[in-house]
Amino acid sequence: MSYAAWGGGAHATAEVRAIRPASVDAARRGYASPGTSVLAFGNGRSYGDVCLNPGGTLIDCRSLDRFVDFDRTTGRLTCEAGVLLADILASICRSDDTGGAWFLPVTPGTRFVSVGGAIANDVHGKNHHRFGTFGRHVLSFDLARSNGEVVSCSPTENAALYRATIGGLGLTGLVLRATIQLRRVEGTALEAEDVRFDRLDEFFSLAAEADQAWDYTAAWVDCLATGRSLGRGIFSRARHRAGAGSPPPPLQPRITIPVRPPVSLVGGLGLRAFNALYWRKLSLRRSERTVGGYEPVFFPLDAIGGWNRLYGPRGFFQFQCVVPPAVAAEAIKDMLGAVAASGQGSMLAVLKTFGDLPSPGILSFPMAGATLALDFPDRGDSTRALLARLETITVAAGGRLYPAKDCVMTANTFRDGYAGLAAFKPHIDPAAASGFARRVGIIGPAAS
Ligand SMILES: Cc1cc2nc3c(=O)[nH]c(=O)nc-3n(C[C@H](O)[C@H](O)[C@H](O)COP(=O)(O)OP(=O)(O)OC[C@H]3O[C@@H](n4cnc5c(N)ncnc54)[C@H](O)[C@@H]3O)c2cc1C
């Protein structure tokens, strides 16, 4: 059957055999006797082939959605790997009598990702500079291997397999259940501030200053702006607010895009107008402070269900890199210049600085520096040429690309960016495979 990742289109769709186990024991058995190569599938919120296994088997973890234990005193949560972060927010992350709450220590830009997927891509959020990656808060997990064994992993038990599985792209086995440490916060409401900036260097000053006092930071960049305005945008920062409880967002999106239009509705003149208008939304005061729920700050895109369909049947590509601090300003400037020159703007251009808290994972993506995320409707060769140009700038800067967002990086780029690859390889499960792993040569010969 056909399985699609979030980017859609032919580049993010695969024919697979799918197993949807109803229990962790059935999942263990399914993983041990797939009859083909095998890979876990979380909730398909990766953009490309990292969650697909063309011609092989996918163990679809969406039914592994039970909570096992939650200790209100310590904030330790044990759940099955298919539990979504949205379920944890809805059931557990609520203000108590003190106004405070247990909250997700780290969350990506959508809450519709599974715990297993968050571990396997070692996801990051807007608080990377304070809390590092999701994997730093994973206390332990049970991992099924294709020989039928279940291995308990933690920083002290099977520690090497623990480090390989965090950020291990699903290639070390199937996470059945995990224990994560939630974070105690003063309140679930957020104090948030948006600040307009006119040039790229202002972004770096704002980030350096805000990282001291704000938990969450990220900026939207107008990637069609050129010349003196190159890199202009809106810097957003937020922190939890004591005593101001905020209910969890609804599990269903408010609006849903019901069908995929025949052509992409994203791009062209509409995008240019959107970017110019959006940048001016703060024109009078240049900054705006609010107190409210966390949904608009963390998950603005989740309010529109199936927004990826707007890119039409060809789908879209996401690009995300990280480049080291010393060369970040220059490299990001070159990338924004390349995007502006190509005329293929991105609506969702997000720029953030990562801090230097190390990830536990051997292959984790985040490292200290600046990270830029962009998306482009698939226009064929011209889009691939732009992605290749952005990849070249990243590699020249000593940076790397994020597998969770990728569909095009070369084997050389992956090998050069991920120094831990040799240490990772012995932990790969002999039956595991993904489109991504084959393409970049983690297993078998690299695709040409
Ligand atoms: C709108 C949007 C915003 C996003 N923002 C961010 C962001 O801010 N930061 C960020 O880091 N990412 C971000 N992402 C990417 C997303 O967080 C990751 O791709 C995440 O891993 C997806 O989780 P999933 O459950 O959908 O897993 P899938 O995409 O289905 O799978 C991801 C990987 O996890 C593996 N996997 C899944 N379940 C298991 C399991 N039980 N055992 C072992 N391996 C498993 C798969 O094999 C695959 O390699 C965003 C994605 C979207 C769509």
Side-chain angles (χ1 to χ4, degrees):
M1 64 190 295
S2 203
Y3 261 64
W6 194 246
H11 57 264
T13 306
E15 288 304 316
V16 297
R17 174 175 170 252
I19 299 178
R20 200 158 177 171
S23 67
V24 290
D25 198 46
R28 179 190 63 75
R29 279 185 269 114
Y31 195 81
S33 52
T36 63
S37 65
V38 64
L39 184 75
F41 182 88
N43 200 31
R45 255 48 178 195
S46 298
Y47 283 72
D49 51 2
V50 78
C51 64
L52 299 175
N53 183 17
T57 299
L58 285 183
I59 309 284
D60 186 329
C61 296
R62 284 177 283 191
S63 329
L64 306 180
D65 58 355
R66 295 165 198 85
F67 289 98
V68 178
D69 186 46
F70 178 57
D71 184 331
R72 287 193 182 280
T73 320
T74 61
R76 287 180 172 205
L77 167 69
T78 302
C79 63
E80 294 180 355
V83 166
L84 300 182
L85 300 189
D87 301 328
I88 299 175
L89 287 165
S91 318
I92 291 176
C93 302
R94 291 166 171 270
S95 301
D96 57 27
D97 324 339
T98 68
W102 291 107
F103 206 68
L104 288 171
V106 167
T107 172
T110 172
R111 63 203 154 99
F112 298 117
V113 313
S114 67
V115 167
I119 293 173
N121 276 329
D122 196 11
V123 301
H124 59 272
K126 292 181 175 183
N127 62 355
H128 183 274
H129 57 289
R130 300 288 280 268
F131 289 86
T133 61
F134 190 87
R136 285 179 66 92
H137 311 275
V138 174
L139 300 173
S140 61
F141 50 80
D142 291 340
L143 186 73
R145 302 271 292 183
S146 62
N147 61 5
E149 274 181 26
V150 175
V151 187
S152 301
C153 299
S154 76
T156 51
E157 194 180 7
N158 298 305
L161 191 53
Y162 168 86
R163 293 187 59 230
T165 300
I166 292 176
L169 312 176
L171 299 173
T172 62
L174 179 77
V175 175
L176 297 174
R177 53 172 91 79
T179 300
I180 57 177
Q181 176 65 59
L182 298 185
R183 173 188 166 202
R184 189 72 195 163
V185 293
E186 307 90 301
T188 52
L190 288 185
E191 175 185 0
E193 187 171 48
D194 285 348
V195 184
R196 200 179 79 182
F197 55 94
D198 297 325
R199 286 183 311 278
L200 190 58
D201 52 352
E202 286 179 30
F203 161 80
F204 286 100
S205 313
L206 279 165
E209 179 208 322
D211 282 358
Q212 310 297 320
W214 297 80
D215 281 353
Y216 305 98
T217 62
W220 168 83
V221 179
D222 176 357
C223 63
L224 291 176
T226 52
R228 284 165 55 94
S229 300
L230 185 90
R232 72 180 183 181
I234 296 175
F235 188 86
S236 302
R237 48 198 183 193
R239 54 191 165 207
H240 288 276
R241 177 80 174 254
S246 161
L251 277 174
Q252 294 306 322
R254 279 174 248 287
I255 316 169
T256 294
I257 308 296
V259 289
R260 199 175 283 280
V263 292
S264 170
L265 300 182
V266 185
L269 289 175
L271 178 61
R272 193 165 288 280
F274 168 84
N275 277 23
L277 271 175
Y278 192 76
W279 185 72
R280 286 191 176 78
K281 81 175 183 144
L282 302 175
S283 61
L284 290 178
R285 282 171 289 157
R286 294 189 70 86
S287 76
E288 193 172 85
R289 197 174 279 216
T290 54
V291 176
Y294 55 80
E295 186 190 12
V297 176
F298 294 161
F299 313 119
L301 292 167
D302 284 350
I304 307 173
W307 59 262
N308 56 342
R309 295 194 185 113
L310 290 172
Y311 285 87
R314 296 186 66 152
F316 67 113
F317 291 101
Q318 167 105 179
F319 167 90
Q320 185 169 1
C321 68
V322 56
V323 287
V327 293
E330 205 52 36
I332 300 290
K333 195 169 124 211
D334 288 352
M335 287 185 220
L336 292 174
V339 174
S342 79
Q344 299 187 58
S346 162
M347 181 119 73
L348 306 171
V350 178
L351 182 59
K352 161 155 183 68
T353 47
F354 281 154
D356 54 12
L357 286 172
S359 303
I362 301 176
L363 285 191
S364 294
F365 161 71
M367 65 180 194
T371 179
L372 177 66
L374 303 161
D375 52 25
F376 306 101
D378 181 1
R379 297 211 181 95
D381 290 348
S382 61
T383 310
R384 285 179 182 264
L386 173 59
L387 292 167
R389 175 79 193 115
L390 298 174
E391 182 173 336
T392 302
I393 298 171
T394 304
V395 173
R400 57 193 182 215
L401 302 184
Y402 190 10
K405 307 287 185 77
D406 179 66
C407 274
V408 293
M409 88 165 97
T410 64
N412 285 348
T413 296
F414 184 76
R415 194 197 52 225
D416 293 352
Y418 289 86
L421 184 56
F424 173 76
K425 281 191 171 177
H427 302 289
I428 296 175
D429 187 281
S434 67
F436 179 85
R438 290 191 195 97
R439 174 162 59 84
V440 304
I442 300 177
I443 55 166
S448 55

